[in-house]
């Protein structure tokens, strides 16, 4: 009887208040990713204002902007490790509170970054510091929110709950894209370069306070036994579970290069390689992101019924075969760009809708957050965060046609990992 009552107490937060749990994770996560992605959509304006101008038509300032974008990604493994350790030792909710406050402060710092004309080299230095702090926050956010979402799910619903990781991520990205599009369409070029590009970052800082308030009502998902047990060491997940850590990297590599190419870099890629107007590229990105967000719960529910592996193979093999023809099909056409983006979003859903569940099902609860956070974020930094820089560099070197092959080739090893991945959809999640 006592054991039964203890078990009921352990799972009650996730089963009695699923909507509240989803809201706490999703709203905060959306705010986190809104702040992160606003940088990508406004990269060309940041390049003009924060970095010294090169020769006419040079891509050097834009390359510098995307280099800072990549640098921020390399703080994500640190954030995944540190915030994951907080989540495993102090609770998932504690980690989620820290990450959203950190993101709000760093977003405000981006919005207040001085121009190169006004502050010289201090301008890019401030931007780099802000992006490092954002990287720390986002790395920790994924580790904590992934674990929180999956542990909040009832039986047979982990895939569905997992899908809200990218529903909320996409919502944040969609708001960022929509605001960027609105500003570009309504403000003159001079006003956008002067102060317009700063508005989304200041707004993001305000949104972070809203997310912080909502997360105060979340219920902790760690079991009573885990809360009473001694906390794990900082590197315990890596030391005791090296195979699982490598497996997270193999699962993530293809997914992250495809994700950041299709959801973040494609508007810029279309501008540089197909001559698509900036406003058209941003609008197509916004529409396709809305479509992508709607697909996520469907993918999660399918995985709960048919398993994780079929969806992962649908994504991996699909991108390996279709990345090149899809990206080569781009031309100066809004309709073609929108079609290419939506086709990629369908394939991408096979990965994004269930990645949180797959990752959480690999690690034991004692080190689940840190175990997911570090290898996942490191892989994203190596392959996802560098995607805009690599694509722009190929263009600068005169070999823009190689980038689609780069995406396709990276999806092949991940597809082999998916093929041999044990099916975990219908196994009980250890708590």
């Amino acid at each position: 009887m006592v054991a039964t009552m203890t078990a009921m107490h352990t799972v009650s937060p996730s089963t009695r208040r699923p909507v509240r749990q989803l809201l706490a994770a999703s709203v905060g996560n959306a705010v986190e990713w809104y702040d992160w992605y606003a940088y990508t959509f406004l990269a060309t304006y940041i390049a003009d204002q924060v970095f010294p101008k090169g020769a006419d038509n040079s891509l050097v300032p834009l390359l510098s902007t995307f280099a800072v974008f990549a640098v921020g990604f390399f703080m994500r493994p640190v954030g995944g490790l540190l915030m994951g350790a907080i989540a495993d030792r102090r609770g998932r909710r504690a980690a989620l509170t820290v990450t959203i406050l950190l993101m709000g402060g760093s977003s405000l710092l981006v919005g207040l970054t001085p121009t190169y004309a006004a502050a010289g080299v201090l301008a890019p230095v401030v931007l780099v510091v802000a992006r490092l702090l954002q990287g720390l926050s986002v790395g920790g956010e994924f580790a904590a929110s992934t674990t929180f979402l999956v542990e909040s799910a009832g039986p047979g619903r982990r895939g569905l709950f997992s899908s809200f990781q990218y529903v909320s991520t996409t919502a944040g990205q969609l708001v960022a894209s929509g605001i960027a599009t609105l500003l570009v369409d309504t403000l003159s070029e001079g006003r956008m370069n002067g102060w317009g590009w700063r508005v989304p970052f200041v707004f993001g800082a305000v949104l972070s306070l809203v997310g912080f308030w909502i997360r105060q009502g979340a219920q902790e998902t760690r079991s009573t036994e885990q809360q009473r047990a001694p906390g794990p060491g900082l590197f315990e997940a890596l030391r005791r579970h090296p195979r699982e850590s490598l497996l997270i990297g193999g699962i993530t590599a293809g997914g992250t290069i495809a994700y950041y190419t299709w959801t973040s870099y494609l508007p810029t890629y279309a501008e540089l390689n197909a001559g698509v107007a900036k406003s058209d590229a941003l609008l197509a990105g916004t529409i396709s992101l809305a479509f992508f967000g709607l697909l996520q719960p469907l993918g999660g529910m399918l995985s709960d019924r048919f398993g994780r592996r079929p969806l992962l193979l649908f994504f991996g093999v699909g991108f390996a075969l279709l990345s090149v023809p899809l990206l080569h099909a781009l031309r100066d056409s809004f309709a073609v760009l929108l079609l290419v983006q939506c086709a990629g979003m369908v394939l991408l859903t096979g990965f994004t809708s269930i990645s949180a569940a797959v990752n959480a099902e690999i690690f034991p609860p004692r080190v689940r957050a840190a175990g997911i956070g570090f290898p996942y974020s490191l892989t994203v930094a190596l392959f996802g965060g560098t995607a805009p820089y690599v694509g722009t560099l190929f263009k600068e070197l005169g070999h823009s046609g190689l980038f689609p092959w780069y995406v396709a080739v990276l999806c092949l090893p991940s597809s082999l990992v998916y093929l041999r991945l044990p099916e975990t959809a219908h196994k009980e999640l250890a708590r």
Side-chain angles (χ1 to χ4, degrees):
M1 174 70 74
V2 174
T4 302
M5 291 178 65
T6 301
M8 289 176 61
H9 175 73
T10 298
V11 300
S12 60
S14 61
T15 56
R16 290 188 307 177
R17 294 182 169 181
V19 174
R20 187 170 183 175
Q21 294 293 91
L22 282 175
L23 183 64
S26 299
V27 173
N29 194 49
V31 172
E32 285 266 358
W33 289 98
Y34 162 84
D35 291 336
W36 180 257
Y37 281 117
Y39 183 96
T40 307
F41 294 123
L42 297 165
T44 54
Y45 297 101
I46 296 173
D48 287 340
Q49 296 301 306
V50 179
F51 293 96
K53 292 179 172 58
D56 290 342
N57 299 320
S58 172
L59 292 177
V60 171
L62 185 58
L63 278 170
S64 299
T65 306
F66 282 138
V68 175
F69 181 74
V71 165
F73 272 84
F74 281 94
M75 280 300 288
R76 288 180 62 169
V78 180
L81 187 63
L82 294 178
M83 299 301 170
I86 292 174
D88 288 332
R89 300 186 68 168
R90 302 295 181 187
R92 318 311 190 201
R93 194 178 73 166
L96 290 173
T97 299
V98 173
T99 58
I100 198 164
L101 290 177
L102 188 60
M103 178 57 78
S106 55
S107 179
L108 182 61
L109 189 58
V110 174
L112 298 178
T113 298
T115 65
Y116 187 85
V121 71
L122 180 63
V125 169
V126 171
L127 184 65
V128 168
V129 171
R131 287 301 289 180
L132 289 175
L133 292 175
Q134 284 189 326
L136 188 71
S137 174
V138 169
E141 172 69 20
F142 184 87
S145 64
T146 291
T147 306
F148 179 85
L149 273 172
V150 177
E151 289 178 349
S152 295
R157 302 179 71 187
R158 293 197 302 269
L160 175 61
F161 271 55
S162 167
S163 70
F164 279 86
Q165 177 76 35
Y166 278 92
V167 170
S168 56
T169 297
T170 302
Q173 193 172 359
L174 189 60
V175 173
S177 175
I179 290 178
T181 302
L182 179 64
L183 288 171
V184 170
D185 286 344
T186 56
L187 296 180
S188 66
E189 192 73 10
R191 288 180 176 176
M192 274 301 300
N193 282 317
W195 55 268
W197 66 271
R198 301 177 184 275
V199 172
F201 299 104
V202 176
F203 180 58
V206 175
L207 288 178
S208 295
L209 296 177
V210 177
F212 169 77
W213 175 72
I214 291 175
R215 282 185 167 176
Q216 296 310 294
Q219 297 289 325
E220 180 56 52
T221 61
R222 285 194 308 163
S223 68
T224 304
E225 291 77 12
Q226 289 298 323
Q227 294 179 44
R228 292 173 177 171
L234 186 61
F235 296 101
E236 183 173 323
L238 290 171
R239 189 176 66 253
R240 295 193 176 184
H241 303 279
R243 180 183 176 277
E244 288 83 354
S245 298
L246 290 173
L247 192 58
I248 293 286
I251 291 168
T252 305
T256 190
I257 181 67
Y259 177 77
Y260 281 99
T261 296
W262 245 258
T263 65
S264 300
Y265 180 57
L266 200 56
T268 302
Y269 181 88
E271 289 178 48
L272 295 177
N273 296 281
V276 177
K278 185 181 298 184
S279 58
D280 283 348
L282 285 172
L283 179 58
T286 302
I287 295 172
S288 63
L289 280 172
F291 174 66
F292 179 64
L294 293 174
L295 290 176
Q296 301 310 297
L298 175 61
M301 288 188 289
L302 287 174
S303 78
D304 283 333
R305 182 169 183 179
F306 300 108
R308 319 294 188 217
R309 191 164 52 186
L311 269 76
L312 290 172
L313 286 170
F314 169 75
F315 153 73
V317 175
F319 257 96
L321 295 177
L322 297 176
S323 293
V324 175
L326 283 173
L327 291 178
H328 281 174
L330 288 173
R331 58 180 185 270
D332 188 7
S333 167
F334 171 80
V336 171
L337 174 58
L338 182 60
L339 183 61
V340 167
Q341 284 204 278
C342 288
M345 297 305 193
V346 172
L347 295 173
L348 191 56
T349 296
F351 171 79
T352 54
S353 63
I354 59 172
S355 63
V358 173
N359 291 339
E361 289 163 353
I362 289 175
F363 275 95
R366 175 177 168 82
V367 293
R368 183 169 286 146
I372 294 169
F374 181 75
Y376 174 87
S377 296
L378 180 61
T379 307
V380 171
L382 290 171
F383 301 108
T386 57
Y389 184 85
V390 171
T392 307
L393 182 61
F394 277 138
K395 175 65 176 179
E396 177 79 352
L397 296 175
H399 299 292
S400 57
L402 292 179
F403 182 69
W405 289 100
Y406 173 73
V407 176
V409 168
L410 281 177
C411 288
L412 285 174
S414 288
S415 297
L416 295 177
V417 172
Y418 305 151
L419 188 62
R420 299 182 60 93
L421 191 68
E423 184 57 69
T424 55
H426 307 300
K427 295 181 180 178
E428 185 177 352
L429 184 73
R431 294 181 182 272

